[in-house]
Amino acid sequence: MATVLYITAHPHDHQASFSMAVGKEFIDAYRESHPADEVVHLDLFKEDIPQIDADVFAGWGKLQSGSGFDQLSDAEKAKVARLGQLVDQFVAADKYVFVSPMWNFSFPPVLKAYVDSVAVAGKTFKYTSEGPVGLLTEKKGLHIQASGGVYSEGPAAGFESGFSYLKKISMFFGIPSFEPLFVEGVAANPAAAPQIKADAIVKAKEIAKTF
């Protein structure tokens, strides 16, 4: 049995969001094809995702200097503990499905905060004399991204910073397979938007069978 983290970063649901609509179809098809697997949904707009702030740095600093967890302030305890929960959950999973819209060429800030929470030395990567080495070498990932324009190829490809960033961080973590499913051009060509979504759903269901 495998564990899938279904990580969504959109304030809307599948009825109002192209990325969420395709994501729902993917995860429904995945459950059908892999009934023994566990799917854990993390809705980043509803989860507590602490930012790396002064409390976190202070808490980490105290722990690294030998202080006990009980010596942290209440704010430090809450944030440091939650960050620990998030990275441990991420490491324990076998597969990752990220779902997000493209906002200003990237993704919503809460997704960056989540990535920061799981980018932890000794957990998802380690430092060596030859540089950092990823530790998640037996995982795989998928990113479902919707955008108003076309950014996977063509003249605007250089502006795409959503999937390209997640691909880089997955490589940093050692994840050998991290693929995109683009749902793009829905604002540039509104008349074609329903067909763009339908085509992406067909792809999503196919990918789900072997993911």
Side-chain angles (χ1 to χ4, degrees), residues 134-169:
L135 299 175
L136 307 184
T137 57
E138 297 182 356
K139 318 289 187 177
K140 65 190 304 185
L142 172 71
H143 181 207
I144 299 172
Q145 175 178 273
S147 59
V150 175
Y151 297 93
S152 65
E153 59 183 8
F159 289 92
E160 200 284 315
S161 301
F163 167 73
S164 60
Y165 173 80
L166 291 180
K167 176 72 172 181
K168 290 172 186 174
I169 202 71

Side-chain angles (χ1 to χ4, degrees), residues 1 10 36 47 53 66-68 71 101 106-108 134 138-139 141 144 151-152 171 173 176 178 182 185 210:
M1 183 184 81
H10 202 299
E47 293 283 342
D53 62 8
S67 297
Q71 294 178 276
S106 185
F107 39 64
E138 297 182 356
K139 318 289 187 177
I144 299 172
Y151 297 93
S152 65
M171 292 172 62
F173 291 163
F178 191 87
F182 295 108
T210 56

